[in-house]
Structures are given as structure tokens and as C-alpha cells.
Amino acid sequence: MNEKWWKEAVVYEIYPASFQDSNGDGKGDLRGILSRLDYLKELGVDVLWLCPIYESPEADNGYDISDYYAINPAFGTMADFDELVEEAHKRGLKIMMDLVLNHTSDQHPWFKESRSSKDNPKRDYYYWRPGQNGLFPNNWESYFSGSVWELDKQTDEYYMHLYSVHQPDLNWNNAEMVNELYRMIRWWLAKGVDGFRFDAIAHIVKAAGLPNADNPEHLPVVQAYQLFSNLEKVHDMLKKLNEEVLIEYDIMTVGETSGLGPEQALEYVGDERHELNMVFQFEHMYLDAARPGTGKWEPRAWTVMELKKVLSRWQTTLHGRGWNANYLGNHDQPRPVSRFGNDTVYRVESAKLLATLLFTLEGTPYLYQGEEIGMTNARFPSIHDYRDIETLNYYEQAKLQGMSEQQILEAVWRKSRDNARTPMQWDASASAGFTTGVPWIKLHPNHEDINVTQALQDPNSILHYYRALIRLRNENKVLVYGDYKLLLPLDPQLYVYTRTLGEEKVLVLLNFSGHEASFAWPEDLQEQTKELMLANYKGESDEDGQTLPLRPYEARLYRIHS
Ligand code: GLC
């Protein structure tokens, strides 16, 4: 298989506002990140993905950019950024920028001009449409609730925003606008950045004519996902971006592409496509809930069998043809240990089990800050403690629909993006070593027990287990490039697979439950020597060579010698 540095790399996602504050204003910043580079280096990660740090009024925490060429003063200066790149590179760490190309802030000068008059030269940089008989131009529903259309009084026309009203969508049919984006991307590349995460890239093209979505119930707005996601022309746009800009650089790219399966993903990441190195898929994120963006957060019970099925399909479909980006959590998702593990009795064991999965699948692993110490979902008692625009909009809508406060909070506790946005827990002090001021969002009270300082001191901590896993992945190419094969697809509790590369074979054994289990070695492996590479429990479990008893959330990694 084609070897690439970005296939072997481990990516660490930093949410700058919540990582490390250096100046006491309660908000994380670039100098804070600088002060933690050695921690990250010791963890063993290779690439730091920085969520947006550009100038922004922060209607959506920086995913609303008002100047692509400037650093948000709350995060520091351009000199701080240059220093961060330099210091990261000195340590062999790479920097990946989060670029939002689907929309800008409504405070971006382009949008200010665009909205000023119907014949402004930048009018066409965005989507403007007149109303339809006093109604919205079409019936599409926004990700953050309500219509995607907002009436702008100045010219009495509507503009489109798939996300919040403060995030107007850019019109990629306008070649001049696209050229402006190219110019900006070249500018960041010239600064020496090593890659991009392209935010919401699946949505940069909308269906021609912006038609209504099917709406049998005649609702004012409906989920219209298929009319603005993964359309054929997105691929033309990405190919052109590569031809015109990216081709010259040895960088890595990952696109955020919800709503597709692995076959369709190959259109982005297929080796011959020259579009993106990998994409973030969402199929495993939909298992426990209605799809985000539908405004419905009803719980759905997920099963281990479903999880295995989804991940295995991605593993086998992309093998040898494209490359996976693997993740269990990020700044938009609940904490993995609260969601797929058990964040009370088996927090440590299940966080380690999830890490074992993340680092032994084929694909580039992405971990999100705090995952390495097993941080858990926030469970704030009041909606006033929440900051996320999606959560607050959901709350308003749910109230209008007559849901009770308790029902809404329960949904928020499970699904809110703020679950993962509480400040990084560095130590047990009052503000967790995150700030000397008042944090912009409340700390999780469990920081007294769950924090980096504690984890560094405890040899059995989740943190040390992450380090060990990263080391193993670095030392064993079979974990990077090996062929994945699922065993026991019908087992409702165990997730077992092998990775094979030439003569090398590794078996990953995960008891994905809070109950004991027993694993029967398949016949072809019974006679072979098994060498334990890593496990999340101490002590041998008694082996008779044929069956292996497993404790709750037990994870084991074996090298199989033939
Ligand atoms: C992506 C980001 C999310 C943001 C949205 C709009 O989904 O991950 O945080 O709100 O795009 O930019």
C-alpha cells in the first residue's frame, strides 16, 4: 500500500477556547497552547488540528470568520501564531488549520458589501433570493433550527444560512469569490501550515435552482439534506482546488462530510480522485440519535452489532482504495466515554477500550482534547450554563413545541456540543489549571479527580494507556497498514478483529459491555502463539488456550505468531 506520513500520523484536536488560558481572561489562547506543546509531544501525537482561530464575532465559536487573514485577538496575535508554528515544527509537530469555506460571518466585509445593495459587485458572493408570496424562498431547514433563509430589510431579499443567521453561505458558483478563497489558502500555506480540515465541505454546492424538498406534511421547513450535501459539483470544486492550489504542497487534508456511506466517500478520497486525503464520516455518530441538524434529539438505543457493522463497512470498503479518518468524539459530539462507554463504574476501563479501538482501526486516528484523560459529558443543571448556539436554539424550539424543561435538559445532557467544550482539566485546583480568571464556560466539577496531573502520576491512568497505544502504533506498521478482518460479526457484546500485513498479525479483542464475557479462540488461532501486546486490566486472566474470560470493558491486543 501507498505509504504516506499522514497515514501514520496521530492527530490531536484542540478547541482553543477551552484548552489553556495564558492571560487570565478565562478563555484559552495561542500562548496557552504554546505552553502545552511539550505535554502534547510527550503524549506522542504528530499533528495538532486547531479549531478556527481567525477573527470572528464568535456567534458559533469561530466557525463564523470575519477575516480569514487575521487572528482573533481573544486568541492572540499573528506573531503568536507564527511562534506556535515554529515551536511546533521544532518539536516535530505539525499544524492543521480548520478552514470554514462554506460560509463566513455576517460581519465579514464581503457580506457587509453584499447586503448593501442588489447591484453591489459582491452581491453574488452569497445566496440572495426574493421571498415566494411572502414566504421563504424554499422550505429548507437550517442545522441550527428554523429556516435557512433570513430576510434582510435593507434590500428586502433573503440570504441563505445552513447554520446560524450569522453564518451566510458563500456562493461557490462565483469564480471571483472562489479565487479569493484560493488566494487566502495559498497565504496560509506560505506560512508553513501542514494541512487543513475543511469544515462543512460537503455543503459548498447546493442543488441547481434551490428546489423545495419533499414535504408531504406541509411543514414550514423540512430537512433538505440531500439538496445541499455531497452533490456532484462539490467534486469539481475540490479537484480544482487541488489543481490550482494544493498540488504544490505535501500537506494533509480532511473534509467534514456528513450523510454519506463509504462507497460515496470514495468519490472524495479514492486514490485516483485527488480531492481529499480523508473525510470525517458520521454514520457511527447517528447510531444513538436522530441525525444532528434535524432538530430532533430523541435518544435511540445503539448496539455493539450496529457499531461493528458500520465501522467494518468503512474499513473494508476503503482498504487499498482510499483512507479513513477515525474518531469517536470531537468538539461537536458528546464525550466518547459517556456515549459509547460507561462514565461511572467503568470509566477508566471503557475509556481505554475505546482508545484501543481508535488506534487499531485502519485510518488516521483523531483524538479530541481531554479524551486522553477520560473527560466526561458536562451535565449542567440549568440551560443558562450552556453557551453553544446549537444548544440554545434547540432549547428555544423545544420550548415552543411544548417540551418540558426536564425533557429538554435531558436531551441537552446527551447531545449538546458543550458536553465536549468544558475547559481542559489540567489539575485539581479551583480552575483546573486552565485559567487564573473566570472560565468562559463552567468547568466540569469532576476535574478534582479527573485531570492531567493526577493522570501523569498514576501509572495505570488512561493517559499512560494512550501513550502506550500511540507508541505501539508507531512501532507496528501492521496497525497502520494491515488488512482489517472482523471476527464474530453476530456477537452482541464482543468486538473482535484482526489486522494483517504480510506475515504479521494482530488480534484486537474488546468486550464492549459492562458484563463479563468469554471469548473462544477460533480454531485456526488456537495452536498459534499469542503474545499480549497491551491490555487495560492488570493480571493474567486464566487462559486454557481455548477460551478466554473477559472482564467488563476488557480490551486486549495480541500479536499472533504463526
Ligand atoms: C462544522 C463544525 C461546527 C460548526 C459548523 C458550522 O460542523 O464542526 O462546529 O458549527 O461546521 O461551521
Side-chain angles (χ1 to χ4, degrees):
M1 184 179 310
N2 215 342
E3 298 194 358
K4 297 273 186 214
W5 68 263
W6 42 264
K7 293 184 177 173
E8 295 170 22
V10 173
V11 184
Y12 186 95
E13 180 188 359
I14 295 182
Y15 199 66
S18 299
F19 190 63
Q20 177 67 63
D21 180 20
S22 75
N23 61 2
D25 67 356
K27 197 167 167 159
D29 47 43
L30 296 177
R31 300 218 72 81
I33 300 173
L34 264 161
S35 72
R36 296 293 184 182
L37 285 180
D38 290 330
Y39 164 78
L40 295 164
K41 182 68 193 169
E42 277 160 39
L43 177 59
V45 300
D46 305 291
V47 180
L48 308 179
W49 151 21
L50 304 181
C51 289
I53 52 166
Y54 317 88
E55 198 167 277
S56 161
E58 299 190 68
D60 185 18
N61 285 8
Y63 284 91
D64 47 323
I65 300 175
S66 52
D67 185 349
Y68 287 105
Y69 294 91
I71 301 290
N72 181 344
F75 292 144
T77 62
M78 195 57 82
D80 294 333
F81 177 80
D82 292 337
E83 192 178 327
L84 178 62
V85 174
E86 196 184 318
E87 288 297 320
H89 285 173
K90 259 192 215 164
R91 291 166 175 79
L93 296 167
K94 295 183 188 282
I95 299 285
M96 177 194 248
M97 305 290 283
D98 202 328
L99 255 190
V100 188
L101 305 177
N102 177 68
H103 46 268
T104 66
S105 158
D106 59 353
Q107 299 307 307
H108 194 290
W110 294 345
F111 189 70
K112 288 186 179 167
E113 275 195 55
S114 183
R115 82 187 329 176
S116 66
S117 74
K118 286 188 187 170
D119 53 13
N120 183 278
K122 296 210 164 36
R123 184 69 168 180
D124 187 48
Y125 273 34
Y126 297 85
Y127 286 95
W128 290 98
R129 294 292 183 277
Q132 296 273 359
N133 313 319
L135 296 173
F136 300 129
N138 70 22
N139 63 4
W140 298 359
E141 183 179 28
S142 149
Y143 276 108
F144 292 168
S145 311
S147 169
V148 300
W149 295 101
E150 179 75 4
L151 183 63
D152 195 45
K153 296 236 169 58
Q154 216 161 323
T155 54
D156 202 32
E157 282 193 336
Y158 291 82
Y159 66 87
M160 186 196 291
H161 59 91
L162 295 185
Y163 295 89
S164 86
V165 293
H166 303 296
Q167 293 164 293
D169 278 56
L170 286 166
N171 175 14
W172 277 67
N173 299 311
N174 183 301
E176 188 185 302
M177 187 288 290
V178 173
N179 275 326
E180 284 288 340
L181 293 180
Y182 290 170
R183 188 164 77 85
M184 176 271 293
I185 296 171
R186 278 191 206 105
W187 188 83
W188 284 102
L189 285 166
K191 276 191 164 294
V193 304
D194 306 285
F196 295 109
R197 177 234 186 214
F198 294 119
D199 183 74
I201 201 72
H203 310 314
I204 58 173
V205 175
K206 283 69 172 164
L210 311 180
N212 277 322
D214 290 344
N215 187 7
E217 291 170 53
H218 303 289
L219 299 166
V221 290
V222 289
Q223 202 267 103
Y225 198 77
Q226 64 288 358
L227 296 173
F228 53 74
S229 306
N230 304 308
L231 299 176
E232 186 50 39
K233 252 179 94 180
V234 176
H235 300 292
D236 302 338
M237 300 292 180
L238 285 171
K239 199 151 290 165
K240 188 128 184 277
L241 171 64
N242 276 274
E243 284 167 1
E244 305 261 326
V245 185
L246 306 183
I247 191 168
E248 317 238 341
Y249 299 85
D250 182 22
I251 57 164
M252 76 183 270
T253 57
V254 54
E256 188 196 27
T257 56
S258 45
L260 46 68
E263 294 79 15
Q264 210 185 346
L266 281 170
E267 294 171 13
Y268 287 105
V269 304
D271 286 338
E272 308 309 316
R273 301 283 298 186
H274 305 292
E275 295 187 26
L276 295 166
N277 295 146
M278 51 195 126
V279 294
F280 289 126
Q281 60 95 5
F282 283 71
E283 290 193 320
H284 59 317
M285 295 287 124
Y286 301 150
L287 291 178
D288 67 349
R291 197 149 76 188
T294 58
K296 300 180 190 77
W297 288 5
E298 292 101 35
R300 208 189 140 262
W302 67 279
T303 66
V304 178
M305 264 168 75
E306 285 174 315
L307 181 71
K308 294 198 281 193
K309 197 168 160 193
V310 166
L311 294 181
S312 300
R313 210 156 70 82
W314 279 85
Q315 291 288 294
T316 50
T317 309
L318 264 55
H319 180 73
R321 302 164 74 194
W323 194 249
N324 271 293
N326 298 316
Y327 71 100
L328 295 170
N330 62 32
H331 67 288
D332 292 331
Q333 299 292 339
R335 290 283 180 184
V337 69
S338 300
R339 183 183 200 173
F340 298 115
N342 173 316
D343 66 4
T344 54
V345 188
Y346 298 115
R347 188 184 64 87
V348 173
E349 293 79 3
S350 64
K352 290 178 180 175
L353 169 132
L354 292 168
T356 313
L357 173 69
L358 182 67
F359 288 100
T360 59
L361 289 171
E362 181 177 336
T364 300
Y366 289 74
L367 70 135
Y368 175 68
Q369 66 184 45
E371 219 170 282
E372 75 276 24
I373 52 168
M375 279 178 65
T376 63
N377 277 353
R379 204 186 152 91
F380 295 141
S382 154
I383 192 69
H384 301 297
D385 297 328
Y386 287 87
R387 300 284 171 267
D388 168 33
I389 188 168
E390 185 189 43
T391 306
L392 300 177
N393 286 357
Y394 168 77
Y395 178 85
E396 293 303 324
Q397 292 286 321
K399 276 260 134 156
L400 289 176
Q401 286 163 18
M403 279 172 70
S404 75
E405 187 80 14
Q406 186 62 24
Q407 281 172 323
I408 304 177
L409 276 177
E410 273 165 23
V412 166
W413 289 338
R414 277 191 326 104
K415 285 295 287 177
S416 170
R417 305 193 299 180
D418 280 342
N419 277 317
R421 297 180 182 182
T422 61
M424 182 69 183
Q425 298 171 189
W426 297 104
D427 62 38
S429 68
S431 51
F434 164 68
T435 180
T436 53
V438 181
W440 69 278
I441 185 171
K442 273 188 169 175
L443 286 156
H444 198 300
N446 67 17
H447 76 265
E448 290 181 8
D449 303 314
I450 301 172
N451 60 66
V452 170
T453 309
Q454 181 281 331
L456 285 170
Q457 282 159 6
D458 173 5
N460 294 320
S461 67
I462 300 168
L463 180 65
H464 284 297
Y465 192 83
Y466 266 79
R467 286 181 172 181
L469 266 170
I470 295 176
R471 239 186 345 260
L472 273 184
R473 192 174 179 276
N474 288 342
E475 289 164 1
N476 294 279
K477 284 219 165 160
V478 58
L479 292 177
V480 178
Y481 296 109
D483 200 353
Y484 166 101
K485 179 160 178 259
L486 180 69
L487 310 184
L488 309 178
L490 298 178
D491 193 295
Q493 191 176 354
L494 298 181
Y495 188 170
V496 190
Y497 50 94
T498 54
R499 303 285 310 278
T500 311
L501 185 68
E503 296 295 293
E504 276 188 89
K505 191 188 279 296
V506 166
L507 180 119
V508 182
L509 183 48
L510 309 170
N511 176 12
F512 236 101
S513 82
H515 308 286
E516 287 173 358
S518 155
F519 171 65
W521 285 100
E523 256 173 43
D524 59 327
L525 297 182
Q526 279 183 12
E527 298 303 312
Q528 284 164 330
T529 313
K530 297 125 196 158
E531 177 197 340
L532 189 64
M533 298 167 80
L534 192 68
N536 65 347
Y537 273 88
K538 280 256 168 233
E540 284 302 302
S541 59
D542 39 0
E543 276 177 58
D544 58 14
Q546 288 182 351
T547 53
L548 187 62
L550 293 165
R551 291 158 280 194
Y553 292 103
E554 183 153 4
R556 295 181 150 240
L557 198 62
Y558 286 97
R559 192 190 305 282
I560 310 286
H561 295 278
S562 45

